[in-house]
Structures are given as C-alpha cells and as structure tokens.
Amino acid sequence: QAPAIEAGTEYDHSSDPRYTGIAVPRPECLKAAIARFMPYWKGPLQDDLRTGQTVLVVAHGNSLRGLVKHLDQISDEDIVGLNIPTGQPLVYTLGEDFMPERPGEYLDPEAAAEAAAAVANQGR
C-alpha cells in the first residue's frame, strides 16, 4: 500500500471543486485502483457484455493496468514492468467467463510499443 497523500500538498485534490461531494482517495497505488475498478468491471461492464454489447473502457493508467492484470493474470511482481500506452486501443475477445479467449491485441502494435516506451520514460 502506498503512503497516503498528505493534505494540502500539490498532490492532494480533495479541495478541488470538481470533486465536491466525492471522497477522494489518498493513496494512488495499483492495489487501491484495482479495488475501486473491479466492482465496476464485475457489475455494469459485464452486464453490458452479457447483452452482446461491445464495451470500450477508457480510464487512467492504473485502472487499465489493473484490468489488464486481471484479464492476463499477471503476477504482482510482473505488473510493475507493464506500461499501458496512452491512446492505443487494446482489444480483447472474451469468453463466457469474461476472461480472454486469446491475448489482447493492440490495433497498431508499432504505435503501441512506441507509446508504451514513452509512458515508461515519464518522469525520468
């Protein structure tokens, strides 16, 4: 678990008017993102999939990393090295159990690899 974001620091968004009435979580670790996202995956998203709809999931990096971790059954150790490229669609074909029938595929693998490298280099 990541340490809590200190109130009043540049990373604390609890006083941002856009989040009025919303409990802004303090930690932004992958474990917390997964805990927030998986009920949505197992609820409304799977409900839509059950009715035959195609679902597009657009989210911030850690939510997407959490979903990919779940779908691809990536270990806690290996997820550290996964960089989700920004703006690159990753397509999964799911079975009846909502698990992939085959690995996810980027629509443009070369562009996805370049974008993943850019994500990996952020903050360096």
Side-chain angles (χ1 to χ4, degrees):
Q1 180 77 352
I5 296 171
E6 292 184 39
T9 66
E10 65 182 299
Y11 304 109
D12 176 25
H13 298 287
S14 60
S15 62
D16 187 318
R18 294 175 293 180
Y19 303 115
T20 300
I22 298 172
V24 178
R26 296 252 179 239
E28 285 299 322
C29 65
L30 180 58
K31 184 177 180 179
I34 291 171
R36 287 190 302 274
F37 181 78
M38 290 310 291
Y40 188 68
W41 167 248
K42 292 179 179 179
L45 291 176
Q46 286 185 10
D47 290 346
D48 288 345
L49 290 166
R50 265 187 211 91
T51 65
Q53 296 182 55
T54 298
V55 175
L56 174 66
V57 177
V58 180
H60 70 77
N62 255 4
S63 295
L64 295 175
R65 286 177 72 230
L67 180 58
V68 170
K69 181 183 188 313
H70 169 74
L71 292 175
D72 291 343
Q73 299 182 346
I74 299 172
S75 70
D76 290 346
E77 294 77 26
D78 291 340
I79 195 64
V80 174
L82 177 68
N83 293 297
I84 301 289
T86 302
Q88 298 296 320
L90 175 60
V91 178
Y92 283 95
T93 300
L94 304 176
E96 291 183 18
D97 61 352
F98 302 106
M99 294 303 287
E101 293 179 347
R102 60 182 178 275
E105 299 174 349
Y106 285 102
L107 295 182
D108 186 340
E110 288 181 26
E114 289 176 20
V119 170
N121 289 320
Q122 287 177 350
R124 288 188 183 184

